Amino acid sequence: MANYFECKATYEKLLENGMQKKVTEPYLVDALSFTEAEARTIEELQPYITGDFTVAAVKRSKIAEIFFNEEGDRFFKFKVYFITLDEKSGAEKKTAVNMIAQACTLKEAIEVLEEGMKATMCDYTIASVSETMIVDIFQFKTEKENE
């Protein structure tokens, strides 16, 4: 299971009108520790940002699954309840998990999530969906994948 950290990077961004503005943007990083998350954020952003930038904050994020869609330009966060039956009492038990789907629209995000969940045998319901401010997600890559 992946450990995700939300890292906020602060830097001077060149706007479309030519002005420079200091911005703080969140990124989601797959890492083992806070230190690795910060280092990977710096490593991933360094080729794209000119000038100084800092990683302003690093916090653990409880994300169970991420569903990617190459055409998507935004990330949507879902709260999903897995529904199981308690064998002893026969009552329904709901377990909440957070998931992310990459898409262009809310409707497309729901479709991406449902497509990704087709392979599971569990019953689930979508409790909530919201658009996130996450700019990009940096997945963990092995040495072979980097080459």
Side-chain angles (χ1 to χ4, degrees):
M1 184 172 188
N3 289 320
Y4 290 101
F5 294 85
E6 186 177 311
C7 299
K8 292 187 178 183
T10 302
Y11 62 95
E12 293 277 333
K13 185 175 188 174
L14 186 62
L15 302 177
E16 292 174 5
N17 62 6
M19 300 282 293
Q20 284 205 339
K21 182 180 180 185
K22 192 170 192 167
V23 295
T24 301
E25 296 179 329
Y27 296 86
L28 202 60
V29 182
D30 181 6
L32 296 173
S33 67
F34 288 89
T35 306
E36 183 187 355
E38 181 179 15
R40 291 212 37 237
T41 302
I42 292 168
E43 178 186 325
E44 293 280 352
L45 293 180
Q46 214 155 21
Y48 304 107
I49 298 175
T50 56
D52 292 338
F53 72 94
T54 59
V55 177
V58 179
K59 70 176 185 176
R60 192 175 301 273
S61 185
K62 292 184 178 184
I63 304 295
E65 190 76 44
I66 298 177
F67 300 103
F68 289 99
N69 174 15
E70 294 301 317
E71 286 94 43
D73 60 349
R74 295 180 277 174
F75 295 96
F76 293 85
K77 185 176 184 179
F78 288 83
K79 184 174 186 177
V80 176
Y81 286 115
F82 287 114
I83 302 168
T84 57
L85 289 174
D86 185 2
E87 292 179 14
K88 292 180 182 176
S89 66
E92 278 189 357
K93 180 182 175 188
K94 292 183 179 182
T95 306
V97 295
N98 293 316
M99 298 183 180
I100 301 271
Q102 184 179 11
C104 293
T105 64
L106 181 72
K107 183 179 178 184
E108 184 182 332
I110 293 169
E111 291 170 3
V112 168
L113 177 90
E114 288 177 344
E115 182 65 32
M117 294 296 288
K118 277 185 181 176
T120 64
M121 299 297 288
C122 295
D123 290 332
Y124 68 93
T125 59
I126 298 172
S128 66
V129 184
S130 61
E131 184 178 348
T132 68
M133 298 303 294
I134 294 171
V135 176
D136 203 357
I137 297 176
F138 304 130
Q139 289 287 99
F140 180 78
K141 294 180 183 140
T142 62
E143 292 291 325
K144 286 183 179 181
E145 291 174 327
N146 283 333
E147 293 170 3

